[in-house]
Amino acid sequence: MIQKSQTAFKNQSPRLSINGLLNRTIQNPLRLIAIVLLVYILVVALSRLLGGDYRADQFARQLIFGLAQGSIYALIALGYTLVYGILLMINFAHGEVFMAGAYIGFFVITALNNAGLLVSQTLLALLITIFSGVIASVIVAVALERIAYRPLRNAPRLVPLITAIGASILLQQLFLRLFGVSTRRYPDVNLYAFPQLFPELGCATINGETICRGIDLIGGRYDVVVFGLQLRVLPIHFLVFFLALTFMAVLWFIVQRTRIGKAMRAVAEDKSTAALMGIDVDQVIVITFVLGAALAGAGGVLFALYNQQVSPFIGFIPGIKAFTAAVLGGIGNIPGAVFGGLFLGVVESVAPSMLGLSQQLKDVIAFSMLVLVLIFRPTGILGEVLAQKKA
Amino acid sequence: MSLLEIHDIHTFYGNINALKGVSLQVEEGEIVTLIGGNGAGKTTTLNTICGITPPRSGQVCLNGQDITRLPPHKIVELGVVQVPEGRKIFTRLTVRENLELGAFGRRDKTGIARDIQSVFERFPRLEERQRQLGGTLSGGEQQMLAIGRALMAQPRILLLDEPSMGLAPLLVREIFNVIVSLNANSGTTILLVEQNALMALAVANRAYVLQSGYITHADSAEKLRHDPAIIEAYLGG
Ligand SMILES: Nc1ncnc2c1ncn2[C@@H]1O[C@H](COP(=O)(O)OP(=O)(O)O)[C@@H](O)[C@H]1O
Ligand SMILES: [Mg+2]
């Protein structure tokens, strides 16, 4: 009997039919659990929405925050995905590459603040800070590649993985010993912009004269009413989102359109043939680490600009979250990393209060998603890449 | 002085000794073929020349310059270009991008554009498919792309590893015609690795026979074609 039903199941067309779905669900208890879970989530969310326990303005606020947080995840996730695409290796020290950018950025922005430049030349000071964060992350990543990973290029795949975890701990401890355990705080920054667009904002009276400098993109908080929703809006969240999208667009352009991007794709597909084309494979691998680190470094400074707290450990959780995001989107897949990052950021920001759970459960939600994806769709939501790679 | 000269090459994969003292020369303008059965070490010989599997001992010289320890990309820059076994097209890059990668070491944009055009003239089907992904091409088209891609590097010596492998007889003939015309019309020196010894000996000037990592015969292609031992072992005699 059982055998018969299994043959019937195999012969079924892959087309989605209620019957087939039911059959497969009953046969696979994991699938059953997942479907029950999804239905439960939907019912709870809907009933809370209808019952007025969860309001639209809450949703809007959490969505915006989730997109900002998600863009940071996406920026880090791109580093995981780029390196995986080329070396089939998870660089678990990438969270510390991110931390290095944020941490060194702290020293630079503090120095610029003490010099008065952060107030007098805010935009320039911020650009310098981001640039130094990028440089710091790039230096750490290049050193990692050179010292820890390159000598293991031909070792079994587990070896560089374990090395990466070791490197992650080493970098945390190194920053801890060098700079101390205390959490550092980024200074408050006010970056006024668009006085024509927002003529009533940012007004101050100096020497009896009132000047309006427009919207404060970094430190500002504004209560606004949009579509009848009372919202408290932080422009920094939008700024982070748009800057992250810009950086990712630049990366996309580099990979798809430039000579070096073509070389990266060739090396990702077949290293020895790439070498036969005259490509310096080691150099391309270094460039890949540099690109991933630059995005992480920029992300680190942006993260620190709205989160303000930095310590040697701030890379750990975002690093794992970004890894989750990369897997969600399909590791090795660039649009997948962006999608996975934004998706994870939004879900963990929106889900707890939508489901009436404690905000502290957001990490549980994020990692449950990782487990679910690994069980049901190990190639990620957008990806077949992994399967192709193995072939 | 020969254009390419390899002297007493010993190459290993871990403990496996694939080449046990291989020596051969290729003169400027020649077609030389290297024949031998499966696992004889033909691919290893080409990869040792190209720096992919450097030898444990022995020497590879190009025009008298020792290139034994150079990394692969430097060797390509010197004009030693390989069409690898199994074509090794970049399947997720377009046909055009594959050709552009062949010219990776070059910076002369107009020269590259002109050479892409001349590859298209030689293989019109590649022009029709220039925007398709390499992986969507048929075996014969992939071989043409692999040869076109190698030509983009402006080879002084072209190393071809079993270009006829897995192709229908008509396509094999076409590929061999291309090889002969490259040599006759463009003066490209060619080192041709083949299991199809009959065809290879028909187009080559000289030939080497490789067996279990040793060179067992070295002579003019004409003589080897009529050597009873060769006929028996490699020409289905
Ligand atoms: N990557 C490798 N690792 C271990 N042994 C190899 C590898 N490649 C080739 N060999 C061995 O080296 C010998 C020569 O192989 P190869 O050069 O590919 O022969 P051919 O091209 O003449 O068929 C064979 O015995 C083969 O098993
Ligand atoms: Mg071979």
Side-chain angles (χ1 to χ4, degrees):
Chain A
M1 257 326 267
I2 291 170
Q3 261 175 346
K4 211 172 180 188
S5 80
Q6 270 176 349
T7 347
F9 163 61
K10 267 191 193 141
N11 289 342
Q12 251 165 15
S13 72
R15 213 156 30 87
L16 205 70
S17 69
I18 301 284
N19 232 333
L21 199 67
L22 260 177
N23 253 334
R24 271 178 289 168
T25 304
I26 291 162
Q27 284 178 359
N28 187 342
L30 278 172
R31 204 176 279 273
L32 188 69
I33 293 170
I35 288 175
V36 169
L37 205 70
L38 270 179
V39 170
Y40 170 78
I41 288 171
L42 277 178
V43 169
V44 172
L46 218 68
S47 73
R48 284 177 55 79
L49 212 57
L50 294 176
D53 297 318
Y54 185 69
R55 297 183 318 275
D57 61 330
Q58 244 177 324
F59 176 74
R61 204 183 61 224
Q62 288 166 349
L63 178 70
I64 295 168
F65 177 78
L67 284 175
Q69 187 77 13
S71 358
I72 302 291
Y73 293 157
L75 284 174
I76 310 174
L78 283 167
Y80 281 107
T81 258
L82 284 171
V83 167
Y84 185 87
I86 286 208
L87 291 179
L88 294 184
M89 170 209 150
I90 310 286
N91 175 13
F92 269 119
H94 192 56
E96 278 58 50
V97 171
F98 163 86
M99 176 275 289
Y103 211 102
I104 301 302
F106 160 79
F107 291 116
V108 173
I109 201 170
T110 308
L112 290 167
N113 194 24
N114 294 341
L117 216 63
L118 191 57
V119 175
S120 63
Q121 291 284 341
T122 313
L123 185 62
L124 178 67
L126 285 174
L127 290 177
I128 293 174
T129 307
I130 292 178
F131 185 71
S132 3
V134 166
I135 296 295
S137 291
V138 165
I139 290 172
V140 171
V142 169
L144 268 178
E145 194 277 328
R146 197 61 248 251
I147 299 166
Y149 304 149
R150 193 180 298 185
L152 303 174
R153 189 84 48 79
N154 296 317
R157 279 175 61 183
L158 202 55
V159 176
L161 190 76
I162 294 166
T163 306
I165 296 172
S168 160
I169 298 169
L170 182 132
L171 284 168
Q172 281 177 22
Q173 293 298 319
L174 186 72
F175 273 71
L176 190 69
R177 306 296 158 196
L178 281 178
F179 305 122
V181 69
S182 64
T183 298
R184 315 273 187 156
R185 196 170 183 284
Y186 265 49
D188 295 317
V189 185
N190 302 298
L191 176 67
Y192 295 98
F194 310 122
Q196 281 87 8
L197 265 173
F198 304 96
E200 317 88 64
L201 296 180
C203 298
T205 310
I206 300 161
N207 300 335
E209 203 181 337
T210 302
I211 320 169
C212 292
R213 290 165 296 176
I215 191 167
D216 179 358
L217 289 178
I218 309 265
R221 288 152 191 272
Y222 302 96
D223 288 312
V224 292
V225 180
V226 204
F227 302 124
L229 299 178
Q230 279 274 343
L231 289 182
R232 161 153 293 191
V233 172
L234 279 68
I236 178 91
H237 291 153
F238 291 95
L239 185 70
V240 167
F241 180 61
F242 285 114
L243 280 180
L245 286 189
T246 309
F247 293 148
M248 295 181 227
V250 171
L251 175 73
W252 183 249
F253 178 82
I254 291 174
V255 171
Q256 291 301 324
R257 289 277 177 274
T258 65
R259 187 176 114 92
I260 201 69
K262 249 176 280 169
M264 286 171 65
R265 285 182 285 143
V267 171
E269 193 168 330
D270 181 345
K271 281 180 206 41
S272 27
T273 307
L276 286 179
M277 300 298 110
I279 295 169
D280 182 345
V281 173
D282 281 337
Q283 188 192 13
V284 169
I285 290 172
V286 170
I287 290 171
T288 306
F289 273 85
V290 166
L291 284 175
L295 294 172
V301 172
L302 293 179
F303 177 71
L305 276 176
Y306 73 84
N307 198 48
Q308 291 203 317
Q309 317 271 340
V310 291
S311 83
F313 303 111
I314 53 159
F316 187 64
I317 292 288
I320 303 181
K321 293 274 179 69
F323 168 66
T324 303
V327 174
L328 274 177
I331 192 147
N333 175 334
I334 291 179
V338 176
F339 167 81
L342 294 176
F343 184 74
L344 185 69
V346 168
V347 166
E348 71 167 21
S349 165
V350 166
S353 34
M354 184 183 268
L355 300 177
L357 303 170
S358 153
Q359 201 65 35
Q360 285 166 343
L361 284 177
K362 74 181 173 78
D363 292 355
V364 174
I365 292 172
F367 297 128
S368 307
M369 274 169 41
L370 175 64
V371 173
L372 287 177
V373 166
L374 285 178
I375 291 173
F376 293 107
R377 207 177 153 78
T379 55
I381 297 171
L382 291 194
E384 246 81 2
V385 183
L386 191 68
Q388 276 178 13
K389 279 265 163 60
K390 278 188 179 154
Chain B
M1 184 175 30
S2 313
L3 177 58
L4 179 75
E5 185 162 354
I6 74 178
H7 182 69
D8 197 24
I9 288 291
H10 295 255
T11 302
F12 289 75
Y13 294 99
N15 293 327
I16 301 168
N17 189 353
L19 300 183
K20 302 158 186 164
V22 170
S23 300
L24 60 82
Q25 295 97 35
V26 183
E27 307 296 332
E28 181 109 44
E30 270 190 315
I31 300 183
V32 171
T33 185
L34 180 63
I35 57 180
N38 227 336
K42 305 182 297 296
T43 299
T44 308
T45 305
L46 294 193
N47 282 340
T48 299
I49 295 170
C50 292
I52 301 280
T53 53
R56 193 170 286 180
S57 66
Q59 237 190 355
V60 182
C61 292
L62 183 72
N63 255 336
Q65 182 196 348
D66 186 344
I67 61 168
T68 319
R69 303 284 153 203
L70 289 184
H73 64 274
K74 294 279 186 216
I75 294 175
V76 177
E77 267 172 35
L78 294 174
V80 180
V81 182
Q82 190 189 151
V83 179
E85 182 176 354
R87 352 239 185 259
K88 301 289 172 63
I89 291 306
F90 296 109
T91 57
R92 296 198 296 269
L93 271 64
T94 66
V95 167
R96 198 185 181 86
E97 284 173 332
N98 268 281
L99 291 175
E100 287 166 350
L101 272 177
F104 189 77
R106 295 169 60 186
R107 296 291 186 161
D108 54 326
K109 273 211 165 111
T110 53
I112 293 174
R114 187 196 57 223
D115 286 356
I116 287 185
Q117 216 43 53
S118 72
V119 168
F120 285 160
E121 273 155 33
R122 195 182 292 276
F123 305 115
R125 258 182 300 178
L126 295 183
E127 181 162 27
E128 291 161 28
R129 295 173 189 225
Q130 56 173 306
R131 284 180 214 300
Q132 276 177 233
L133 294 185
T136 66
L137 299 187
S138 72
E141 289 163 349
Q142 289 198 357
Q143 189 61 64
M144 292 171 195
L145 179 54
I147 294 175
R149 185 177 65 175
L151 293 179
M152 292 303 297
Q154 298 179 312
R156 297 176 64 186
I157 175 163
L158 191 62
L159 316 179
L160 293 141
D161 197 347
E162 302 205 29
S164 72
M165 187 168 65
L167 298 186
L170 214 64
L171 279 168
V172 173
R173 198 164 294 276
E174 197 177 331
I175 295 291
F176 271 89
N177 283 340
V178 168
I179 293 168
V180 170
S181 105
L182 275 174
N183 178 256
N185 303 334
S186 320
T188 311
T189 306
I190 286 169
L191 176 56
L192 172 64
V193 161
E194 262 301 341
Q195 290 212 38
N196 188 339
L198 195 64
M199 291 287 274
L201 290 175
V203 301
N205 306 108
R206 289 188 306 113
Y208 292 88
V209 180
L210 192 62
Q211 200 182 326
S212 320
Y214 296 102
I215 298 278
T216 55
H217 300 74
D219 214 329
S220 79
E222 188 58 31
K223 280 216 183 104
L224 284 180
R225 216 146 49 121
H226 298 105
D227 183 325
I230 302 294
I231 292 173
E232 165 137 33
Y234 301 105
L235 302 178

